[in-house]
Amino acid sequence: MSESTTTPYSPVRVGVLDNDSCALECIVALLARLNTPNRQIDAWASNNPAQAIQECRFGVRRTNVILVDMALNGLTGAQIAARLRRDIPDIGIIGMTAYQPELYREQLHAAGAQALLDKSTLRKTLPLALDAVSRGLAYPADGGFDSVVQSRMAASDETAKRQVVWLTVTERRVLSLSMSSMNTREIAQTLHVSADTVFSHRRNIKNKLHSNTWYDVMDLCRSMHIA
């Protein structure tokens, strides 16, 4: 997504991810009302993070902007945003929350999003945010978020750092056994160590790969062919 090749009212495909069915329905209805002769929105919606990511990655039509709720079942909006930024570098990401936005701003910025909206003011802010983010810009301009290009560059730098990470022989062994579907007890038995030691190795690996969860580590290692 280029900051200079799209006009403010270009047709835009917008995804909505929210595990609250009522909120999902209301947001989709609001998007429908934003359609005008000069602004055409093609919206899709999901309450399933995995399905939303798949639609963004492999949908018949490219998703330009995705709206992501910050509190999902077992996941955060920031985690989804980080995954999308890594997998789809040019997508625009808007977080939204019914709680205090400041609780999520720092995490969402680090994940590569362009805006964070309060759900109580969506009628006012969503049209403005879509116009900006669909052009690759942050919203608002002074809101502390980066443009799509800036976020993409930051994500590339972070990936480069991860690619040169040094893992010990034991850490790579823990990774390899984990990727072969062994659980913690089985890995401990195979390596002749305690389960606590396995947990310690996993914690070190997460720190070295700058990942929040072991799921993120496994996903990253598959994509980078580590272990």
Side-chain angles (χ1 to χ4, degrees):
M1 183 183 300
S2 171
E3 295 178 10
S4 59
T5 60
T6 315
T7 64
Y9 300 114
S10 294
V12 57
R13 189 160 194 250
V14 179
V16 186
L17 173 60
D18 196 316
N19 60 357
D20 184 328
S21 298
C22 291
L24 200 63
E25 186 176 331
C26 290
I27 294 168
V28 170
L30 175 58
L31 288 170
R33 288 196 292 272
L34 295 181
N35 275 304
T36 69
N38 293 323
R39 179 200 285 130
Q40 297 182 16
I41 296 173
D42 174 21
W44 60 265
S46 177
N47 60 8
N48 184 303
Q51 290 178 356
I53 290 171
Q54 289 296 96
E55 177 62 29
C56 289
R57 294 182 65 189
F58 305 116
V60 175
R61 290 194 57 201
R62 182 170 71 93
T63 297
N64 304 104
V65 179
I66 186 166
L67 308 175
V68 182
D69 186 42
M70 295 308 298
L72 301 163
N73 290 332
L75 291 169
T76 68
Q79 287 175 307
I80 299 298
R83 171 70 181 271
L84 289 169
R85 177 59 60 222
R86 189 182 76 227
D87 292 350
I88 313 161
D90 63 347
I91 194 170
I93 303 170
I94 299 175
M96 50 186 184
T97 180
Y99 303 100
Q100 285 290 335
E102 292 306 318
L103 296 174
Y104 305 102
R105 189 175 300 278
E106 184 176 349
Q107 280 186 323
L108 192 61
H109 170 261
Q114 280 58 66
L116 175 59
L117 306 182
D118 186 329
K119 283 185 175 180
S120 67
T121 61
L122 280 183
R123 290 179 184 274
K124 176 182 177 181
T125 59
L126 185 54
L128 300 173
L130 280 178
D131 286 346
V133 177
S134 65
R135 290 181 288 142
L137 306 175
Y139 174 84
D142 59 354
F145 286 91
D146 295 329
S147 70
V148 169
V149 170
Q150 291 169 326
S151 296
R152 185 171 63 208
M153 292 174 62
S156 297
D157 290 344
E158 185 63 26
T159 298
K161 290 177 184 177
R162 286 173 166 177
Q163 286 176 332
V164 299
V165 70
W166 183 75
L167 299 179
T168 67
V169 172
T170 304
E171 288 167 349
R172 286 182 177 272
R173 184 71 173 140
V174 169
L175 266 177
S176 179
L177 293 174
S178 297
M179 295 177 74
S180 68
S181 300
M182 279 192 180
N183 60 35
T184 301
R185 181 179 59 81
E186 292 170 333
I187 294 173
Q189 290 176 345
T190 300
L191 297 180
H192 306 292
V193 298
S194 68
D196 286 343
T197 299
V198 175
F199 282 124
S200 178
H201 284 308
R202 285 183 170 178
R203 182 172 59 252
N204 291 337
I205 293 168
K206 285 193 295 183
N207 290 337
K208 287 182 178 181
L209 294 178
H210 308 286
S211 297
N212 293 321
T213 69
W214 190 246
Y215 171 84
D216 291 337
V217 168
M218 300 288 282
D219 194 44
L220 177 66
C221 289
R222 289 189 188 96
S223 67
M224 293 170 57
H225 306 291
I226 296 177

